[in-house]
Amino acid sequence: ETIVKKIDNKDIDKLYQDEDIRLAADIIKSGGLVAFPTETVYGLGADAFMEEAAKKIYAAKGRPSDNPLIVHISEIREVDDIAECIPDIFYSLAKKYWPGPMTVVLKKRNIVPDATSGGLDTVAVRLPDNNIARAIIKESGVPIAAPSANTSGRPSPTKAIHVLEDMNGKIDMIIDGGTVGIGVESTIIDLTSDIPTLLRPGAVTLEMLENTCKRVDVDPAIEHLLTGNEVPKAPGMKYKHYAPKADMKLVRGNESDVLKYLKGQIQNSDRLIAVLTVDEHKDMFDTVSSEKLNIKVLSLGSSKNPESIAYNLFDILRKCDELGVEYIFSESFDERGIGKAIMNRLKKAAGFEIIDV
Ligand code: TXA
Ligand code: MG
């Protein structure tokens, strides 16, 4: 009974008159759930001020309730409705990167229910750069709490079909606005400590943030598996995430060593294995993959265009599930720029299992 409606991502003025946008807003206002596109991934939206609606999100996703939601707004000034004690650095960042793939963590106002903030006294806020998303928020007249619209633990959805796979029958409506632009979730930066702290890397890169803030700390949960008493600042970063069903390993080292290692792994195996590589290297596996039907060689994109790799990443991980592969070996990438987000998602998908060759 999930309603699916296709909408062109057109002029925002035209979207206001769109009856499907109105229907989506009516569902949100009455406490229901609507999945919609943003520029990063598809989100699963509900009224951020309605405790019961936020709870429905956790149920539909199968998400632990201590993992807070991001509150989406349609104008910068709406941030004052949900957050207080806002530092100056927020305005510098918002001016540069909003609307866009950046989420800021601020001190929350009491109006934000615990169900939305996961019981924290802070709230994550984002102004998405997608006309459909902003039109729904505006028409609803409330900020919209929206995590990624996947079942908890599965790769985030970059296409409406991914949302349908995970959410059909569990939510009221899916707005199909085509594929998203970026393909990995927003950058999260915590502005509640003296030094802004990067909690999740995304398309607003660490280098870009450092351009605006004097100094940026990086939460250790981004880089490695936390041990013992280390606690991640973004609760979501502690879960094994984006995980395909297969046992995945990341292979890291210089190019020729990595390729040699990958070929060695697949040559003598009868298991169903996926190798995640790049356009430039795909040919090198042709002989093996044409002889052995148990080897699937998938390109994440061009190594010359890391944005293409970010864009394809979650779709390829979902493809691995569809193919039923048992093992995934993936190449590694340079961690500069958007590479940091790519490597963070790959590391999480691999449960931080990295083979250094
Ligand atoms: O690009 C995105 O951000 C997408 C689209 C839909 O906007 N949304 C998204 O939401 O990725 P979600 O729920 O999948 O990820 C939200 C992350 C989680 O890791 C959560 O722990 C963290 O944000 N988070 C939310 N509120 C927080 C807070 N107050 N402090 C620290 N981390 C927070
Ligand atoms: Mg998510």
Side-chain angles (χ1 to χ4, degrees):
E1 349 86 355
T2 301
I3 306 166
V4 182
K5 294 284 181 184
K6 218 175 170 123
I7 300 185
D8 287 338
N9 195 351
K10 53 195 168 216
D11 248 33
I12 194 147
D13 299 326
K14 290 196 188 111
L15 285 171
Y16 289 134
Q17 287 135 41
D18 190 299
E19 57 180 18
D20 295 328
I21 296 278
R22 286 214 188 120
L23 176 58
D26 285 342
I27 292 172
I28 298 276
K29 279 188 272 191
S30 60
L33 303 186
V34 178
F36 58 87
T38 79
E39 80 280 33
T40 56
V41 299
Y42 272 76
L44 177 56
D47 182 343
F49 291 152
M50 213 188 281
E51 181 108 34
E52 288 313 309
K55 281 187 181 157
K56 282 189 198 165
I57 289 182
Y58 291 97
K61 280 180 64 82
R63 177 175 173 125
S65 59
D66 67 343
N67 191 4
L69 310 173
I70 295 175
V71 177
H72 294 67
I73 56 178
S74 62
E75 306 265 0
I76 292 187
R77 59 181 160 72
E78 290 161 355
V79 78
D80 292 317
D81 302 337
I82 42 194
E84 57 190 13
C85 309
I86 299 171
D88 289 342
I89 192 69
F90 162 78
Y91 296 97
S92 316
L93 286 169
K95 213 167 142 190
K96 261 193 159 151
Y97 302 121
W98 271 7
M102 177 184 72
T103 296
V104 295
V105 174
L106 299 166
K107 191 172 177 331
K108 88 170 176 85
R109 284 190 188 278
N110 285 335
I111 187 171
V112 181
D114 278 347
T116 298
S117 68
L120 300 174
D121 56 7
T122 56
V123 62
V125 190
R126 173 161 126 75
L127 175 55
D129 185 14
N130 178 292
N131 285 347
I132 295 175
R134 287 208 306 274
I136 295 173
I137 301 165
K138 274 212 155 67
E139 285 282 330
S140 304
V142 287
I144 294 185
S148 49
N150 52 289
T151 299
S152 192
R154 292 210 76 202
S156 293
T158 53
K159 299 173 175 170
I161 185 76
H162 299 157
V163 182
L164 200 65
E165 277 166 22
D166 286 10
M167 294 296 155
N168 195 14
K170 297 181 180 165
I171 63 176
D172 301 295
M173 185 177 192
I174 298 171
I175 301 272
D176 177 353
T179 51
V180 298
I182 293 170
V184 291
E185 308 88 340
S186 63
T187 304
I188 305 179
I189 184 159
D190 183 354
L191 302 180
T192 63
S193 45
D194 290 339
I195 298 159
T197 306
L198 180 68
L199 304 186
R200 181 174 72 183
V204 170
T205 63
L206 178 60
E207 292 86 343
M208 288 158 77
L209 295 170
E210 282 169 340
N211 244 315
T212 309
C213 311
K214 264 191 235 104
R215 195 179 139 194
V216 179
D217 280 347
V218 176
D219 192 58
I222 291 172
E223 314 285 356
H224 61 261
L225 197 60
L226 297 183
T227 50
N229 40 26
E230 283 181 298
V231 178
K233 292 209 179 99
M237 297 298 275
K238 75 172 171 256
Y239 300 105
K240 182 170 170 173
H241 219 216
Y242 320 117
K245 290 172 185 135
D247 182 350
M248 175 164 165
K249 291 188 171 59
L250 258 179
V251 186
R252 188 167 61 183
N254 78 49
E255 192 174 294
S256 62
D257 289 343
V258 168
L259 291 170
K260 208 162 103 195
Y261 179 89
L262 291 172
K263 279 188 204 158
Q265 285 299 310
I266 60 182
Q267 226 127 37
N268 305 311
S269 180
D270 299 322
R271 303 296 198 146
L272 194 51
I273 297 179
V275 173
L276 308 190
T277 183
V278 291
D279 296 348
E280 289 80 359
H281 296 163
K282 205 163 181 268
D283 293 353
M284 297 178 208
F285 297 97
D286 275 356
T287 31
V288 201
S289 63
S290 63
E291 283 164 15
K292 301 188 67 169
L293 295 174
N294 61 313
I295 306 300
K296 311 287 173 195
V297 180
L298 304 171
S299 175
L300 291 165
S302 165
S303 56
K304 295 193 198 81
N305 179 7
E307 282 76 18
S308 70
I309 294 170
Y311 179 81
N312 292 321
L313 183 59
F314 288 137
D315 186 43
I316 297 280
L317 290 179
R318 276 179 182 259
K319 217 152 264 163
C320 290
D321 280 352
E322 266 167 46
L323 293 168
V325 306
E326 295 169 86
Y327 295 93
I328 301 172
F329 292 95
S330 175
E331 287 199 42
S332 297
F333 299 92
D334 188 322
E335 296 221 12
R336 281 171 299 180
I338 191 141
K340 201 172 199 62
I342 294 168
M343 281 298 283
N344 170 258
R345 304 316 190 269
L346 283 172
K347 285 178 193 171
K348 290 196 74 175
F352 289 89
E353 280 193 74
I354 301 171
I355 300 165
D356 282 301
V357 295

